[in-house]
Amino acid sequence: MYRTASGEEIFVIDGHTHFWDGSPANQKNVHGKQFIECFYAYHSNLSPAEEKWPLEKFEKYDAQTMHDDLFVHGYDDMAILQSTYLTDFYKHGFNSVERNAALKNKHPERFILNGAFDPRDGNKGLEQLHADVEKYKLTGVKLYTAEWRGDSKGYRLDDKDSYKFLEAAEKLGVKNVHVHKGPTIIPLNKDSFAVGDIDDVATSFQGLNFIVEHCGLPRLDDFCWIATQETNVYGGLAVALPFIHTRPAYFAHVISELLFWIGPDKILYGSDYGIWTPKWLIDRFMAFEIPEELSKETGAVLTLETKKKILGLNAARLYNIDIEAQKSRIGAAGGYDHLAAAYAAE
Amino acid sequence: MQASMLADRQAQVWARLQTVTDPELDESVTDLKFVTEVEVDADARVRIGFRLPTYWCAANFSFLMADDMRAAVLELPWVRAVEVVLGEHMYADKINAGLAEGLSFQQTFGDEADGDLGEVRRTFLLKAFQRRQAALLAHLLEAGHRPESLVTLRLDALTRLNFDEAGAALLSRYLERRDVAAQAGEPLAFIDTEGAPLQAETLSTYVRALRRVDVNAEFNSALCRGLLHVRFDTETPLTPRRAAPLDQTSRAPA
C-alpha cells in the first residue's frame, strides 16, 4: 500500500514478478549463465547504487526475501507471479509454475499465479495446460516466444499451433496472456521483436487480453501502433519504469507516448522483481511529473488518478480483484501490521 | 612497411567503420563502442574485433553490422582481405565462421532463416528515414516555416535554406537517408515512406506520429550503451579513431 502525503491510500498490484532460480547449480550450460548475467546487467545498469545486489543474491533469493521486498519494504499489495521455463538453459526450469505455486500457497492473499505454455509441446502441452489450469486455478499465462527448444529458437503467436493453445486457454477460462518477446525467434532473418503476431491474435481472440511486457521494447513504436488499434492490448511497464532513475527524460518521453497513444487505462505497473524492487520504483514514480514542455506537446499528464490506474486499478480490472475485499483479506492475515506501526510512529 | 604508414592505414579503417551504423539505433558502430580493435598487417590484411551489449543481441543485426563493416573497409583500395570477428555472443561461432567463408546470412543459418536480410535492413532504414525526417521537419516548423510551404518545398530549395549548426546537421542526416523512400529524381524535399507527398493539413499530426520512432530509438540507444558499459569496460580509450574527415555519404541501402 502506498500512502500519499495527504493520507490517501493507493492499492498496488505488481504485474510482473519472478521467483527464479538462476544459480550455477541450476544452470545447464553457458546459455543459462549468460541469461541470468544479462538480467543482472539490466539490474546493475538501471538500479540506484544503493539498491544493487551482489550477483549471488540475484541468482537465487529465498521466498522470505521476495515477500519482504515486495510487501513489507515495498508498496506492493499483490503481485503476479509469472512462470518461465527455459528448460534448455536450466535443469529444473528457471521460474516454474510449481516453484511459484509454493510461494503463493504460503501467502495466498498476496499472489496471483500465472502459468505458461509452449505451442511446440503439442498435445502433451495442451494436456499439461489443462491440468495446470485445473490444479492452480489459473486465469493468466505468460508466454516467452523467444524460448529455445532443441533446434527451435522460438515461435510466433500467429502460428497454427499457437492458435490451438490460445483457443484451449480461452475455453479453460484463461483471460490474460502476458507476452514477452526476446531476441531469438524463427526465422532469424526477420525482426525478432516485431509485434505483428500480437496484432493478429489480438484481433482473432477478442475474449483474451494481451499484456505486452516491456511495452514491446525494443519496439515501443510498433507496439503503440498496434495497441492503439486493438482494444484488448495492454502495455506492461517493466524495463521502461527503472529509467525513471537513470534517464528520467527518456522515461518522460516513453510514458508520454504511451499515454498519448494507448491511454491511462491500458498501462500496467510491473517491477520485474528480482531485476528491480518496488520500493524505489514506486517512490520515484509517485514523485514523477512529466515536464511541462513535453506535456504541452503531447497533452499527456501523469495525474494522481492516472498513477492509481497504472499502479493497481488496471490490473485489478483484468484479474477481477475486488480491492476492498482483498484489503480485508490481507489485513486479516496481518499483512498491514507493519504499516500500522509505521503510521503510528509518524 | 613503415610504422607510420600502418598507423595511417589503421586510421583509414577506423574512418570507414565510422560510416557503419547499428541498423536499429541508427548510430555509428564506433560511437557506440562496439568495435574493440583494428589490426592492419604488412600484407594489407585487416582484422576487426567487435562486441555487442548482450550475449543475446539479435543474430540478424549482428550479422548485418559485421557484413557492413567488411564492405565498408573493402572500399579502401589497398585492402587485400578483411576479417571481422564477433566476441562473446550466442551465435559468435556461427557468425564468425559464416563471415570467414564469405557466406550470406541465409547460408550461415540454413533452416533457421527463410531468406536474407534485405527486408529487415529496409525496415530499419525506413525507420531511420522517418526519425531523421521528423527531426528536420520539427526543426523547420519550430523555426517558423509554414506547413503549406514545407509540403511543396523542392529538394534544391531545401538545401539552399539558411540553417544554424544544429539545423545543418539535421539536414545532412536527413539527406543521407532520403533516398530510402524517394524515387530517383523526386523533386519534393519531403515525401512519406511510400514516396508520396505530405499534406499540409495533417503535417503536425504526421510529425507527432513519427515521434514514436524517435523515442523508441533514443530509449534503445540509452539501454544498449548502459548494458555495454556494465558488460565491458567502455571507459578506456581505444586506438585513435579518425585521421580523415568523416564520410557519411557512401552507404547505399541493399
Side-chain angles (χ1 to χ4, degrees):
Chain A
M1 191 87 70
Y2 184 88
R3 197 164 75 153
T4 65
S6 60
E8 190 174 351
E9 290 187 326
I10 298 178
F11 191 82
V12 178
I13 303 178
D14 193 331
H16 201 95
T17 68
H18 312 269
F19 184 43
W20 65 51
D21 178 1
S23 65
N26 192 28
Q27 292 167 11
K28 214 177 221 179
N29 47 37
V30 63
H31 306 309
K33 179 179 184 298
Q34 290 283 354
F35 192 84
I36 191 73
E37 284 182 4
C38 183
F39 274 24
Y40 188 65
Y42 274 81
H43 165 78
S44 308
N45 176 30
L46 297 176
S47 297
E50 66 278 12
E51 303 290 346
K52 273 186 210 171
W53 295 357
L55 177 62
E56 204 172 272
K57 175 183 176 189
F58 189 85
E59 285 170 341
K60 188 181 183 181
Y61 39 83
D62 60 34
Q64 193 62 44
T65 302
M66 177 160 174
H67 172 274
D68 292 354
D69 280 343
L70 299 181
F71 308 119
V72 181
H73 312 309
Y75 303 110
D76 288 2
D77 290 282
M78 297 184 76
I80 305 177
L81 288 161
Q82 307 285 7
S83 303
T84 313
Y85 276 81
L86 301 174
T87 39
D88 276 28
F89 300 168
Y90 295 98
K91 292 173 195 160
H92 308 293
F94 184 58
N95 191 14
S96 67
V97 70
E98 296 83 1
R99 191 173 156 81
N100 285 329
L103 181 55
K104 183 187 160 119
N105 284 341
K106 271 195 211 170
H107 311 281
E109 74 288 358
R110 289 294 198 182
F111 289 107
I112 297 165
L113 174 62
N114 279 356
F117 65 69
D118 190 317
R120 292 166 297 184
D121 293 341
N123 284 337
K124 234 180 106 191
L126 284 169
E127 283 165 26
Q128 186 67 48
L129 175 65
H130 202 288
D132 285 350
V133 171
E134 207 147 273
K135 182 170 176 189
Y136 301 116
K137 310 277 175 271
L138 304 176
T139 57
V141 288
K142 153 92 176 281
L143 306 182
Y144 187 57
T145 57
E147 180 159 353
W148 292 16
R149 186 65 53 99
D151 288 337
S152 166
K153 298 291 189 284
Y155 64 90
R156 293 174 54 87
L157 288 174
D158 51 6
D159 284 346
K160 209 168 72 228
D161 290 336
S162 299
Y163 262 70
K164 266 192 220 161
F165 275 77
L166 289 168
E167 280 162 12
E170 191 175 14
K171 214 182 274 176
L172 290 167
V174 169
K175 278 263 167 263
N176 300 308
V177 180
H178 294 248
V179 185
H180 175 203
K181 282 180 178 282
T184 49
I185 202 168
I186 294 296
L188 292 176
N189 48 302
K190 301 278 169 58
D191 177 13
S192 42
F193 298 99
V195 287
D197 56 339
I198 297 174
D199 198 4
D200 178 295
V201 291
T203 305
S204 300
F205 293 92
Q206 293 287 325
L208 294 174
N209 300 311
F210 291 87
I211 301 98
V212 181
E213 297 302 342
H214 320 145
C215 303
L217 281 164
R219 298 285 171 272
L220 180 76
D221 50 342
D222 298 334
F223 165 73
C224 285
W225 184 243
I226 67 152
T228 306
Q229 297 176 313
E230 305 290 345
T231 52
N232 53 341
V233 172
Y234 295 73
L237 268 191
V239 179
L241 184 53
F243 271 77
I244 205 167
H245 165 64
T246 43
R247 306 280 186 121
Y250 285 140
F251 178 73
H253 278 291
V254 169
I255 195 76
S256 299
E257 292 302 310
L258 289 171
L259 288 170
F260 183 88
W261 294 101
I262 75 174
D265 297 318
K266 294 169 75 182
I267 306 171
L268 273 68
Y269 151 73
S271 66
D272 224 341
Y273 188 87
I275 308 186
W276 298 287
T277 42
K279 171 82 169 73
W280 72 266
L281 287 173
I282 292 180
D283 273 334
R284 282 171 173 78
F285 183 65
M286 287 308 298
F288 191 81
E289 282 177 35
I290 297 171
E292 203 184 318
E293 200 181 317
L294 202 56
S295 280
K296 250 196 295 184
E297 187 190 326
T298 59
V301 190
L302 209 42
T303 60
L304 182 62
E305 217 38 53
T306 295
K307 286 176 176 171
K308 281 156 86 172
K309 287 178 174 181
I310 294 173
L311 286 176
L313 295 176
N314 292 340
R317 201 172 65 245
L318 291 182
Y319 280 89
N320 246 335
I321 302 290
D322 176 338
I323 291 178
E324 288 311 316
Q326 200 65 30
K327 274 191 196 168
S328 309
R329 250 172 249 138
I330 296 168
Y336 295 133
D337 293 354
H338 66 288
L339 291 183
Y343 296 164
E346 269 171 22
Chain B
M1 190 180 297
Q2 287 174 342
S4 65
M5 185 164 175
L6 278 181
D8 176 59
R9 286 186 162 182
Q10 218 174 20
Q12 289 179 40
V13 173
W14 278 108
R16 291 303 304 148
L17 294 176
Q18 171 76 27
T19 68
V20 176
T21 53
D22 176 315
E24 179 165 20
L25 307 179
D26 191 29
E27 288 184 59
S28 160
V29 292
T30 58
D31 290 346
L32 288 163
K33 302 189 178 183
F34 289 172
V35 182
T36 52
E37 58 172 330
V38 168
E39 283 172 24
V40 180
D41 72 13
D43 292 330
R45 287 180 308 210
V46 178
R47 187 178 187 281
I48 298 159
F50 81 114
R51 64 189 176 189
L52 294 169
T54 77
Y55 181 78
W56 309 98
C57 289
N60 48 12
F61 292 140
S62 311
F63 193 93
L64 259 183
M65 282 184 267
D67 210 30
D68 286 355
M69 286 188 238
R70 180 171 59 183
V73 172
L74 274 172
E75 283 176 25
L76 293 168
W78 52 263
V79 170
R80 290 182 50 203
V82 181
E83 185 189 7
V84 181
V85 181
L86 171 62
E88 294 190 59
H89 186 271
M90 60 173 163
Y91 286 122
D93 291 349
K94 220 168 196 177
I95 289 176
N96 290 335
L99 290 169
E101 290 172 43
L103 303 180
S104 69
F105 185 83
Q106 170 76 78
Q107 288 167 329
T108 302
F109 283 95
D111 287 346
E112 294 177 71
D114 69 357
D116 266 310
L117 301 175
E119 188 189 319
V120 75
R121 186 196 285 274
R122 179 157 175 83
T123 300
F124 284 88
L125 279 170
L126 283 171
K127 286 190 189 223
F129 162 81
Q130 290 179 312
R131 187 180 173 204
R132 294 175 181 206
Q133 186 188 63
L136 180 59
L137 281 172
H139 179 83
L140 291 168
L141 287 167
E142 180 84 0
H145 290 270
R146 296 189 23 247
E148 302 76 44
S149 60
L150 288 176
V151 298
T152 54
L153 187 69
R154 296 175 68 91
L155 178 62
D156 50 351
L158 171 68
T159 57
R160 286 198 306 268
L161 292 178
N162 277 326
F163 285 99
D164 59 12
E165 200 180 321
L170 293 176
L171 173 66
S172 104
R173 275 177 64 77
Y174 172 60
L175 294 179
E176 279 166 30
R177 287 289 177 272
R178 181 176 166 277
D179 290 351
V180 179
Q183 298 282 343
E186 168 62 53
L188 286 176
F190 297 106
I191 63 281
D192 68 15
T193 53
E194 307 292 323
L198 307 183
Q199 306 301 321
E201 312 78 65
T202 53
L203 189 68
S204 62
T205 321
Y206 172 81
V207 172
R208 183 85 261 294
L210 295 193
R211 182 106 183 90
R212 280 185 324 215
V213 183
D214 188 42
V215 166
N216 185 63
E218 290 277 345
F219 191 88
N220 289 341
S221 173
L223 187 60
C224 291
R225 284 172 196 275
L227 292 173
L228 187 76
H229 178 68
V230 170
R231 199 165 176 226
F232 301 104
D233 164 26
T234 55
E235 293 302 307
T236 314
L238 301 163
T239 324
R241 293 288 160 73
R242 15 182 129 113
L246 301 184
D247 171 13
Q248 290 270 11
T249 55
S250 58
R251 236 161 55 93

